[in-house]
Amino acid sequence: MGILLFGVVRETVGSSVLEYPAAINDVASLKRWLYEEYPSLKQLSSLLIAVNRTYATDNQAFSNTDEVAIIPPVSGG
Amino acid sequence: MGILLFGVVRETVGSSVLEYPAAINDVASLKRWLYEEYPSLKQLSSLLIAVNRTYATDNQAFSNTDEVAIIPPVSGG
Amino acid sequence: MDVLIAIKDNITVQEALEFIQSPACGGEVIFAGTIRNNTQQRPVTHLFYECYEPMAISEMQKIADQVKEKWAIQKLVMLHAIGDKYPGDVAVVIAVASAHRGIAFDACEYVIDILKETVPIWKKEFFADESAH
Amino acid sequence: MDVLIAIKDNITVQEALEFIQSPACGGEVIFAGTIRNNTQQRPVTHLFYECYEPMAISEMQKIADQVKEKWAIQKLVMLHAIGDKYPGDVAVVIAVASAHRGIAFDACEYVIDILKETVPIWKKEFFADESAH
């Protein structure tokens, strides 16, 4: 299972799913990896990670059996 | 033109118009007169007088050419 | 600010919505007061609303004037029903539209609060045990 | 508390009203967010809404759980539209019914405020000058 992308992150990456990066298994390292690969994401006012459909803290670990999603600033309503 | 009555005041007096009482020409005397004639009105949490469709203060004068109404506690909504 | 004020036998949320809808407004807040089937646990069969109509309209207009002073509201509707009303019937509708939602909530709650304090409308409740209040 | 949560192409205030109407409730507060024809004075042609649906539904359910904890609300509706939306279209509807109006206002405003902060839904604005944001 890849990492799910939405909104401006989907547009930046050019795909709605990102292949699971090797050796990344916690939220903080995923964010660091994203900022390195896609530096323009640093301009967003926030970038949250959801693990199994719940907002995750930086120290949360995950594996490639979890559903991981990148959540740029939401703008519903 | 008589004095207009509504709600519990109309029910107490038994009519929707009250004949203009002689020698009554201000709000305070009208209220005194009403409480004497219909003592049960004293039980109401408030009793306001409107002159020409506007709430009137106790010292406001009126004549029998004005539209006077007795306003028991309102309960719309 | 566009204002619609009416007191009549039957009112609907739909007519209020139709009046306030505008592509210039992003936030619409509607309050509907409906007849409850009980008052403090006592079963209610129906209510009767009466009003001093010309003064009620004038007091509603004063509330609209206050709203216009206080907030940047584009549309305001105030509807009140009169006559016999049964549980589930709509007695009052307040609808507000503005570009931003916070003031629409504030204005809508203000209008219903003040309407209940100042507008000469009276309800009489009829209870299932045949008493009335 | 009865709850209706939905994310779909088209939503109406009417379906929310139908769900919350109950003779046991006296106060109904409805918020409708509609597409505006401008954003900060720039003419908007349309918006596109997308969502991470299972998580959005789960976050909406969490908001409903919080409402249930905080207030004595009988009915709660949360509807959000997705896809292309044009000025005047309804994007979101929150509807609350309770026996008393004060908490219905509080709960309705709370729900839309938190929904805009936490529910993974995104809008993209398309402007008349052909740019998008």
Side-chain angles (χ1 to χ4, degrees), chain D residues 88-132:
Chain D
D89 285 353
V90 181
V92 60
V93 176
I94 309 299
V96 172
S98 76
H100 301 286
R101 72 183 185 283
I103 59 172
F105 276 103
D106 291 347
C108 190
E109 189 166 14
Y110 178 83
V111 169
I112 182 63
D113 286 351
I114 304 299
L115 181 147
K116 283 171 162 272
E117 282 175 17
T118 65
V119 176
I121 297 175
W122 299 271
K123 72 163 155 259
K124 182 166 181 165
E125 296 172 305
F126 293 85
F127 294 99
D129 62 9
E130 299 193 348
S131 65

mmCIF file of all heavy atoms in Angstrom, chain D residues 88-132:
data_model
loop_
_atom_site.group_PDB
_atom_site.id
_atom_site.type_symbol
_atom_site.label_atom_id
_atom_site.label_comp_id
_atom_site.label_asym_id
_atom_site.label_seq_id
_atom_site.Cartn_x
_atom_site.Cartn_y
_atom_site.Cartn_z
ATOM 1 N N GLY D 88 -23.516 29.956 -5.286
ATOM 2 C CA GLY D 88 -24.891 29.677 -4.889
ATOM 3 C C GLY D 88 -25.099 28.227 -4.459
ATOM 4 O O GLY D 88 -26.049 27.925 -3.722
ATOM 5 N N ASP D 89 -24.239 27.315 -4.915
ATOM 6 C CA ASP D 89 -24.367 25.907 -4.504
ATOM 7 C C ASP D 89 -24.087 25.763 -3.009
ATOM 8 O O ASP D 89 -23.294 26.498 -2.435
ATOM 9 C CB ASP D 89 -23.357 25.022 -5.257
ATOM 10 C CG ASP D 89 -23.754 24.761 -6.699
ATOM 11 O OD1 ASP D 89 -24.865 25.147 -7.092
ATOM 12 O OD2 ASP D 89 -22.933 24.172 -7.437
ATOM 13 N N VAL D 90 -24.728 24.772 -2.395
ATOM 14 C CA VAL D 90 -24.517 24.498 -0.977
ATOM 15 C C VAL D 90 -23.329 23.557 -0.818
ATOM 16 O O VAL D 90 -23.306 22.476 -1.419
ATOM 17 C CB VAL D 90 -25.775 23.870 -0.347
ATOM 18 C CG1 VAL D 90 -25.554 23.605 1.132
ATOM 19 C CG2 VAL D 90 -26.982 24.790 -0.542
ATOM 20 N N ALA D 91 -22.329 23.962 -0.040
ATOM 21 C CA ALA D 91 -21.128 23.141 0.166
ATOM 22 C C ALA D 91 -21.221 22.351 1.463
ATOM 23 O O ALA D 91 -20.696 21.239 1.556
ATOM 24 C CB ALA D 91 -19.900 24.042 0.211
ATOM 25 N N VAL D 92 -21.851 22.936 2.493
ATOM 26 C CA VAL D 92 -21.894 22.273 3.795
ATOM 27 C C VAL D 92 -23.188 22.664 4.500
ATOM 28 O O VAL D 92 -23.663 23.802 4.365
ATOM 29 C CB VAL D 92 -20.638 22.661 4.633
ATOM 30 C CG1 VAL D 92 -20.566 24.156 4.877
ATOM 31 C CG2 VAL D 92 -20.580 21.909 5.956
ATOM 32 N N VAL D 93 -23.771 21.710 5.199
ATOM 33 C CA VAL D 93 -24.952 21.982 6.027
ATOM 34 C C VAL D 93 -24.744 21.325 7.384
ATOM 35 O O VAL D 93 -24.404 20.138 7.462
ATOM 36 C CB VAL D 93 -26.250 21.413 5.410
ATOM 37 C CG1 VAL D 93 -27.443 21.632 6.353
ATOM 38 C CG2 VAL D 93 -26.538 22.047 4.055
ATOM 39 N N ILE D 94 -24.926 22.117 8.444
ATOM 40 C CA ILE D 94 -24.916 21.584 9.801
ATOM 41 C C ILE D 94 -26.301 21.897 10.377
ATOM 42 O O ILE D 94 -26.762 23.041 10.287
ATOM 43 C CB ILE D 94 -23.854 22.273 10.684
ATOM 44 C CG1 ILE D 94 -22.468 22.284 10.013
ATOM 45 C CG2 ILE D 94 -23.815 21.633 12.062
ATOM 46 C CD1 ILE D 94 -21.889 20.936 9.722
ATOM 47 N N ALA D 95 -26.965 20.919 10.952
ATOM 48 C CA ALA D 95 -28.289 21.167 11.529
ATOM 49 C C ALA D 95 -28.372 20.493 12.884
ATOM 50 O O ALA D 95 -27.916 19.359 13.058
ATOM 51 C CB ALA D 95 -29.379 20.639 10.602
ATOM 52 N N VAL D 96 -28.925 21.227 13.838
ATOM 53 C CA VAL D 96 -28.978 20.760 15.221
ATOM 54 C C VAL D 96 -30.389 20.995 15.762
ATOM 55 O O VAL D 96 -30.959 22.067 15.542
ATOM 56 C CB VAL D 96 -27.971 21.564 16.078
ATOM 57 C CG1 VAL D 96 -28.136 21.248 17.548
ATOM 58 C CG2 VAL D 96 -26.543 21.290 15.627
ATOM 59 N N ALA D 97 -30.931 20.028 16.460
ATOM 60 C CA ALA D 97 -32.222 20.236 17.124
ATOM 61 C C ALA D 97 -32.100 19.887 18.588
ATOM 62 O O ALA D 97 -31.475 18.891 18.955
ATOM 63 C CB ALA D 97 -33.304 19.372 16.481
ATOM 64 N N SER D 98 -32.673 20.748 19.415
ATOM 65 C CA SER D 98 -32.683 20.459 20.846
ATOM 66 C C SER D 98 -33.934 21.080 21.450
ATOM 67 O O SER D 98 -34.662 21.819 20.797
ATOM 68 C CB SER D 98 -31.434 21.022 21.514
ATOM 69 O OG SER D 98 -31.546 22.410 21.655
ATOM 70 N N ALA D 99 -34.191 20.742 22.696
ATOM 71 C CA ALA D 99 -35.377 21.283 23.354
ATOM 72 C C ALA D 99 -35.225 22.784 23.571
ATOM 73 O O ALA D 99 -36.212 23.506 23.606
ATOM 74 C CB ALA D 99 -35.613 20.557 24.669
ATOM 75 N N HIS D 100 -33.993 23.259 23.701
ATOM 76 C CA HIS D 100 -33.778 24.679 23.999
ATOM 77 C C HIS D 100 -32.781 25.287 23.029
ATOM 78 O O HIS D 100 -31.817 24.657 22.630
ATOM 79 C CB HIS D 100 -33.343 24.825 25.451
ATOM 80 C CG HIS D 100 -34.386 24.265 26.375
ATOM 81 N ND1 HIS D 100 -35.577 24.905 26.621
ATOM 82 C CD2 HIS D 100 -34.448 23.084 27.037
ATOM 83 C CE1 HIS D 100 -36.326 24.157 27.414
ATOM 84 N NE2 HIS D 100 -35.666 23.042 27.682
ATOM 85 N N ARG D 101 -33.033 26.552 22.666
ATOM 86 C CA ARG D 101 -32.324 27.113 21.523
ATOM 87 C C ARG D 101 -30.878 27.506 21.798
ATOM 88 O O ARG D 101 -30.044 27.444 20.896
ATOM 89 C CB ARG D 101 -33.086 28.301 20.950
ATOM 90 C CG ARG D 101 -33.063 29.563 21.788
ATOM 91 C CD ARG D 101 -33.912 30.647 21.159
ATOM 92 N NE ARG D 101 -33.828 31.906 21.882
ATOM 93 C CZ ARG D 101 -34.447 32.170 23.023
ATOM 94 N NH1 ARG D 101 -35.209 31.251 23.602
ATOM 95 N NH2 ARG D 101 -34.306 33.349 23.603
ATOM 96 N N GLY D 102 -30.559 27.925 23.023
ATOM 97 C CA GLY D 102 -29.211 28.423 23.301
ATOM 98 C C GLY D 102 -28.153 27.381 22.971
ATOM 99 O O GLY D 102 -27.162 27.671 22.282
ATOM 100 N N ILE D 103 -28.354 26.161 23.434
ATOM 101 C CA ILE D 103 -27.356 25.123 23.177
ATOM 102 C C ILE D 103 -27.355 24.700 21.712
ATOM 103 O O ILE D 103 -26.338 24.258 21.186
ATOM 104 C CB ILE D 103 -27.528 23.895 24.098
ATOM 105 C CG1 ILE D 103 -28.897 23.250 23.931
ATOM 106 C CG2 ILE D 103 -27.295 24.281 25.556
ATOM 107 C CD1 ILE D 103 -29.012 21.926 24.683
ATOM 108 N N ALA D 104 -28.485 24.854 21.035
ATOM 109 C CA ALA D 104 -28.520 24.511 19.608
ATOM 110 C C ALA D 104 -27.614 25.477 18.823
ATOM 111 O O ALA D 104 -26.871 25.049 17.932
ATOM 112 C CB ALA D 104 -29.942 24.553 19.066
ATOM 113 N N PHE D 105 -27.656 26.773 19.173
ATOM 114 C CA PHE D 105 -26.742 27.735 18.538
ATOM 115 C C PHE D 105 -25.291 27.387 18.856
ATOM 116 O O PHE D 105 -24.433 27.351 17.975
ATOM 117 C CB PHE D 105 -27.038 29.169 19.011
ATOM 118 C CG PHE D 105 -28.145 29.844 18.261
ATOM 119 C CD1 PHE D 105 -29.412 29.990 18.809
ATOM 120 C CD2 PHE D 105 -27.912 30.356 16.990
ATOM 121 C CE1 PHE D 105 -30.434 30.626 18.111
ATOM 122 C CE2 PHE D 105 -28.927 30.998 16.280
ATOM 123 C CZ PHE D 105 -30.197 31.128 16.847
ATOM 124 N N ASP D 106 -25.011 27.137 20.140
ATOM 125 C CA ASP D 106 -23.628 26.835 20.539
ATOM 126 C C ASP D 106 -23.100 25.607 19.805
ATOM 127 O O ASP D 106 -21.989 25.608 19.281
ATOM 128 C CB ASP D 106 -23.554 26.580 22.054
ATOM 129 C CG ASP D 106 -23.794 27.853 22.858
ATOM 130 O OD1 ASP D 106 -23.776 28.952 22.266
ATOM 131 O OD2 ASP D 106 -23.993 27.739 24.080
ATOM 132 N N ALA D 107 -23.905 24.543 19.786
ATOM 133 C CA ALA D 107 -23.461 23.290 19.180
ATOM 134 C C ALA D 107 -23.268 23.453 17.678
ATOM 135 O O ALA D 107 -22.276 22.974 17.116
ATOM 136 C CB ALA D 107 -24.468 22.177 19.469
ATOM 137 N N CYS D 108 -24.187 24.148 17.021
ATOM 138 C CA CYS D 108 -24.094 24.310 15.555
ATOM 139 C C CYS D 108 -22.824 25.072 15.179
ATOM 140 O O CYS D 108 -22.091 24.667 14.273
ATOM 141 C CB CYS D 108 -25.340 25.024 15.042
ATOM 142 S SG CYS D 108 -25.478 25.028 13.244
ATOM 143 N N GLU D 109 -22.539 26.151 15.903
ATOM 144 C CA GLU D 109 -21.345 26.939 15.580
ATOM 145 C C GLU D 109 -20.073 26.138 15.896
ATOM 146 O O GLU D 109 -19.101 26.172 15.133
ATOM 147 C CB GLU D 109 -21.361 28.266 16.362
ATOM 148 C CG GLU D 109 -20.266 29.205 15.884
ATOM 149 C CD GLU D 109 -20.430 30.640 16.374
ATOM 150 O OE1 GLU D 109 -21.239 30.877 17.299
ATOM 151 O OE2 GLU D 109 -19.740 31.522 15.833
ATOM 152 N N TYR D 110 -20.102 25.396 17.001
ATOM 153 C CA TYR D 110 -18.962 24.546 17.357
ATOM 154 C C TYR D 110 -18.671 23.543 16.232
ATOM 155 O O TYR D 110 -17.528 23.373 15.799
ATOM 156 C CB TYR D 110 -19.265 23.810 18.664
ATOM 157 C CG TYR D 110 -18.180 22.874 19.113
ATOM 158 C CD1 TYR D 110 -17.079 23.338 19.826
ATOM 159 C CD2 TYR D 110 -18.245 21.513 18.828
ATOM 160 C CE1 TYR D 110 -16.078 22.481 20.241
ATOM 161 C CE2 TYR D 110 -17.253 20.641 19.238
ATOM 162 C CZ TYR D 110 -16.163 21.125 19.944
ATOM 163 O OH TYR D 110 -15.171 20.278 20.343
ATOM 164 N N VAL D 111 -19.709 22.895 15.747
ATOM 165 C CA VAL D 111 -19.528 21.852 14.733
ATOM 166 C C VAL D 111 -18.901 22.426 13.463
ATOM 167 O O VAL D 111 -17.935 21.868 12.940
ATOM 168 C CB VAL D 111 -20.867 21.157 14.407
ATOM 169 C CG1 VAL D 111 -20.725 20.257 13.169
ATOM 170 C CG2 VAL D 111 -21.334 20.326 15.596
ATOM 171 N N ILE D 112 -19.405 23.545 12.976
ATOM 172 C CA ILE D 112 -18.833 24.067 11.725
ATOM 173 C C ILE D 112 -17.411 24.582 11.965
ATOM 174 O O ILE D 112 -16.521 24.387 11.123
ATOM 175 C CB ILE D 112 -19.760 25.126 11.062
ATOM 176 C CG1 ILE D 112 -19.162 25.624 9.737
ATOM 177 C CG2 ILE D 112 -20.098 26.284 11.962
ATOM 178 C CD1 ILE D 112 -19.011 24.556 8.677
ATOM 179 N N ASP D 113 -17.157 25.176 13.135
ATOM 180 C CA ASP D 113 -15.789 25.643 13.428
ATOM 181 C C ASP D 113 -14.803 24.474 13.440
ATOM 182 O O ASP D 113 -13.720 24.551 12.839
ATOM 183 C CB ASP D 113 -15.737 26.357 14.786
ATOM 184 C CG ASP D 113 -16.362 27.748 14.745
ATOM 185 O OD1 ASP D 113 -16.690 28.231 13.645
ATOM 186 O OD2 ASP D 113 -16.526 28.352 15.824
ATOM 187 N N ILE D 114 -15.152 23.396 14.138
ATOM 188 C CA ILE D 114 -14.229 22.252 14.258
ATOM 189 C C ILE D 114 -14.118 21.509 12.931
ATOM 190 O O ILE D 114 -13.030 21.074 12.532
ATOM 191 C CB ILE D 114 -14.676 21.292 15.386
ATOM 192 C CG1 ILE D 114 -14.812 22.038 16.718
ATOM 193 C CG2 ILE D 114 -13.680 20.135 15.532
ATOM 194 C CD1 ILE D 114 -13.549 22.664 17.227
ATOM 195 N N LEU D 115 -15.248 21.390 12.230
ATOM 196 C CA LEU D 115 -15.206 20.724 10.922
ATOM 197 C C LEU D 115 -14.178 21.399 10.009
ATOM 198 O O LEU D 115 -13.397 20.728 9.331
ATOM 199 C CB LEU D 115 -16.599 20.743 10.282
ATOM 200 C CG LEU D 115 -16.754 20.076 8.911
ATOM 201 C CD1 LEU D 115 -18.151 19.452 8.774
ATOM 202 C CD2 LEU D 115 -16.513 21.029 7.752
ATOM 203 N N LYS D 116 -14.162 22.731 10.012
ATOM 204 C CA LYS D 116 -13.235 23.449 9.143
ATOM 205 C C LYS D 116 -11.778 23.301 9.588
ATOM 206 O O LYS D 116 -10.859 23.554 8.818
ATOM 207 C CB LYS D 116 -13.602 24.943 9.101
ATOM 208 C CG LYS D 116 -14.809 25.217 8.199
ATOM 209 C CD LYS D 116 -15.266 26.645 8.355
ATOM 210 C CE LYS D 116 -16.137 27.076 7.202
ATOM 211 N NZ LYS D 116 -15.362 27.627 6.057
ATOM 212 N N GLU D 117 -11.587 22.903 10.831
ATOM 213 C CA GLU D 117 -10.219 22.731 11.335
ATOM 214 C C GLU D 117 -9.675 21.320 11.175
ATOM 215 O O GLU D 117 -8.477 21.134 11.031
ATOM 216 C CB GLU D 117 -10.164 23.067 12.840
ATOM 217 C CG GLU D 117 -10.151 24.544 13.136
ATOM 218 C CD GLU D 117 -10.228 24.806 14.634
ATOM 219 O OE1 GLU D 117 -9.966 23.879 15.431
ATOM 220 O OE2 GLU D 117 -10.569 25.941 15.004
ATOM 221 N N THR D 118 -10.549 20.325 11.281
ATOM 222 C CA THR D 118 -10.042 18.959 11.426
ATOM 223 C C THR D 118 -10.441 17.977 10.333
ATOM 224 O O THR D 118 -9.800 16.942 10.188
ATOM 225 C CB THR D 118 -10.509 18.339 12.764
ATOM 226 O OG1 THR D 118 -11.934 18.215 12.737
ATOM 227 C CG2 THR D 118 -10.077 19.188 13.947
ATOM 228 N N VAL D 119 -11.528 18.247 9.605
ATOM 229 C CA VAL D 119 -12.023 17.229 8.668
ATOM 230 C C VAL D 119 -11.259 17.337 7.344
ATOM 231 O O VAL D 119 -11.193 18.414 6.742
ATOM 232 C CB VAL D 119 -13.546 17.381 8.458
ATOM 233 C CG1 VAL D 119 -14.037 16.380 7.415
ATOM 234 C CG2 VAL D 119 -14.275 17.166 9.784
ATOM 235 N N PRO D 120 -10.653 16.232 6.888
ATOM 236 C CA PRO D 120 -9.812 16.284 5.679
ATOM 237 C C PRO D 120 -10.623 16.432 4.400
ATOM 238 O O PRO D 120 -10.900 15.462 3.708
ATOM 239 C CB PRO D 120 -9.004 14.987 5.737
ATOM 240 C CG PRO D 120 -9.826 14.055 6.565
ATOM 241 C CD PRO D 120 -10.583 14.911 7.544
ATOM 242 N N ILE D 121 -10.998 17.681 4.150
ATOM 243 C CA ILE D 121 -11.676 18.074 2.913
ATOM 244 C C ILE D 121 -10.904 19.297 2.417
ATOM 245 O O ILE D 121 -10.476 20.122 3.220
ATOM 246 C CB ILE D 121 -13.155 18.441 3.184
ATOM 247 C CG1 ILE D 121 -13.910 17.215 3.713
ATOM 248 C CG2 ILE D 121 -13.826 19.001 1.923
ATOM 249 C CD1 ILE D 121 -15.349 17.498 4.131
ATOM 250 N N TRP D 122 -10.721 19.366 1.110
ATOM 251 C CA TRP D 122 -9.940 20.476 0.543
ATOM 252 C C TRP D 122 -10.702 21.120 -0.592
ATOM 253 O O TRP D 122 -11.321 20.432 -1.394
ATOM 254 C CB TRP D 122 -8.596 19.967 0.004
ATOM 255 C CG TRP D 122 -7.749 19.361 1.063
ATOM 256 C CD1 TRP D 122 -6.843 20.002 1.856
ATOM 257 C CD2 TRP D 122 -7.723 17.979 1.468
ATOM 258 N NE1 TRP D 122 -6.261 19.109 2.730
ATOM 259 C CE2 TRP D 122 -6.787 17.861 2.517
ATOM 260 C CE3 TRP D 122 -8.399 16.831 1.059
ATOM 261 C CZ2 TRP D 122 -6.499 16.650 3.156
ATOM 262 C CZ3 TRP D 122 -8.136 15.627 1.693
ATOM 263 C CH2 TRP D 122 -7.193 15.542 2.727
ATOM 264 N N LYS D 123 -10.626 22.436 -0.651
ATOM 265 C CA LYS D 123 -11.248 23.130 -1.794
ATOM 266 C C LYS D 123 -10.166 23.818 -2.612
ATOM 267 O O LYS D 123 -9.158 24.283 -2.093
ATOM 268 C CB LYS D 123 -12.295 24.127 -1.324
ATOM 269 C CG LYS D 123 -11.806 25.382 -0.666
ATOM 270 C CD LYS D 123 -12.943 26.423 -0.649
ATOM 271 C CE LYS D 123 -12.744 27.405 0.489
ATOM 272 N NZ LYS D 123 -13.582 27.094 1.631
ATOM 273 N N LYS D 124 -10.420 23.852 -3.898
ATOM 274 C CA LYS D 124 -9.560 24.594 -4.807
ATOM 275 C C LYS D 124 -10.446 25.625 -5.481
ATOM 276 O O LYS D 124 -11.530 25.289 -5.963
ATOM 277 C CB LYS D 124 -8.958 23.628 -5.829
ATOM 278 C CG LYS D 124 -8.002 24.279 -6.796
ATOM 279 C CD LYS D 124 -7.210 23.216 -7.534
ATOM 280 C CE LYS D 124 -6.237 23.883 -8.501
ATOM 281 N NZ LYS D 124 -5.237 22.917 -8.960
ATOM 282 N N GLU D 125 -9.999 26.880 -5.482
ATOM 283 C CA GLU D 125 -10.816 27.955 -6.055
ATOM 284 C C GLU D 125 -10.353 28.265 -7.470
ATOM 285 O O GLU D 125 -9.157 28.389 -7.720
ATOM 286 C CB GLU D 125 -10.684 29.213 -5.196
ATOM 287 C CG GLU D 125 -11.230 29.017 -3.788
ATOM 288 C CD GLU D 125 -10.929 30.206 -2.876
ATOM 289 O OE1 GLU D 125 -9.735 30.566 -2.749
ATOM 290 O OE2 GLU D 125 -11.871 30.757 -2.304
ATOM 291 N N PHE D 126 -11.298 28.412 -8.371
ATOM 292 C CA PHE D 126 -10.993 28.799 -9.750
ATOM 293 C C PHE D 126 -11.506 30.215 -9.965
ATOM 294 O O PHE D 126 -12.681 30.496 -9.728
ATOM 295 C CB PHE D 126 -11.635 27.822 -10.732
ATOM 296 C CG PHE D 126 -11.023 26.451 -10.656
ATOM 297 C CD1 PHE D 126 -11.468 25.522 -9.711
ATOM 298 C CD2 PHE D 126 -9.965 26.099 -11.496
ATOM 299 C CE1 PHE D 126 -10.884 24.264 -9.623
ATOM 300 C CE2 PHE D 126 -9.386 24.841 -11.404
ATOM 301 C CZ PHE D 126 -9.836 23.921 -10.472
ATOM 302 N N PHE D 127 -10.602 31.089 -10.381
ATOM 303 C CA PHE D 127 -10.940 32.503 -10.498
ATOM 304 C C PHE D 127 -11.262 32.879 -11.947
ATOM 305 O O PHE D 127 -10.837 32.210 -12.885
ATOM 306 C CB PHE D 127 -9.780 33.359 -9.976
ATOM 307 C CG PHE D 127 -9.552 33.178 -8.505
ATOM 308 C CD1 PHE D 127 -8.549 32.337 -8.025
ATOM 309 C CD2 PHE D 127 -10.373 33.824 -7.581
ATOM 310 C CE1 PHE D 127 -8.354 32.161 -6.667
ATOM 311 C CE2 PHE D 127 -10.185 33.651 -6.223
ATOM 312 C CZ PHE D 127 -9.171 32.822 -5.769
ATOM 313 N N ALA D 128 -12.011 33.979 -12.073
ATOM 314 C CA ALA D 128 -12.434 34.433 -13.401
ATOM 315 C C ALA D 128 -11.236 34.784 -14.280
ATOM 316 O O ALA D 128 -11.311 34.694 -15.506
ATOM 317 C CB ALA D 128 -13.373 35.621 -13.270
ATOM 318 N N ASP D 129 -10.097 35.149 -13.668
ATOM 319 C CA ASP D 129 -8.924 35.478 -14.481
ATOM 320 C C ASP D 129 -8.132 34.218 -14.854
ATOM 321 O O ASP D 129 -6.998 34.295 -15.293
ATOM 322 C CB ASP D 129 -8.040 36.506 -13.756
ATOM 323 C CG ASP D 129 -7.498 35.969 -12.436
ATOM 324 O OD1 ASP D 129 -7.661 34.748 -12.168
ATOM 325 O OD2 ASP D 129 -6.918 36.751 -11.677
ATOM 326 N N GLU D 130 -8.786 33.047 -14.658
ATOM 327 C CA GLU D 130 -8.248 31.747 -15.095
ATOM 328 C C GLU D 130 -7.129 31.194 -14.231
ATOM 329 O O GLU D 130 -6.569 30.147 -14.536
ATOM 330 C CB GLU D 130 -7.829 31.766 -16.571
ATOM 331 C CG GLU D 130 -9.031 32.060 -17.457
ATOM 332 C CD GLU D 130 -8.784 31.803 -18.925
ATOM 333 O OE1 GLU D 130 -7.623 31.618 -19.309
ATOM 334 O OE2 GLU D 130 -9.762 31.778 -19.685
ATOM 335 N N SER D 131 -6.824 31.861 -13.140
ATOM 336 C CA SER D 131 -5.871 31.264 -12.219
ATOM 337 C C SER D 131 -6.641 30.356 -11.255
ATOM 338 O O SER D 131 -7.860 30.388 -11.184
ATOM 339 C CB SER D 131 -5.120 32.344 -11.442
ATOM 340 O OG SER D 131 -6.013 33.050 -10.610
ATOM 341 N N ALA D 132 -5.912 29.550 -10.523
ATOM 342 C CA ALA D 132 -6.557 28.668 -9.536
ATOM 343 C C ALA D 132 -5.729 28.703 -8.262
ATOM 344 O O ALA D 132 -4.532 28.986 -8.288
ATOM 345 C CB ALA D 132 -6.630 27.243 -10.058
#
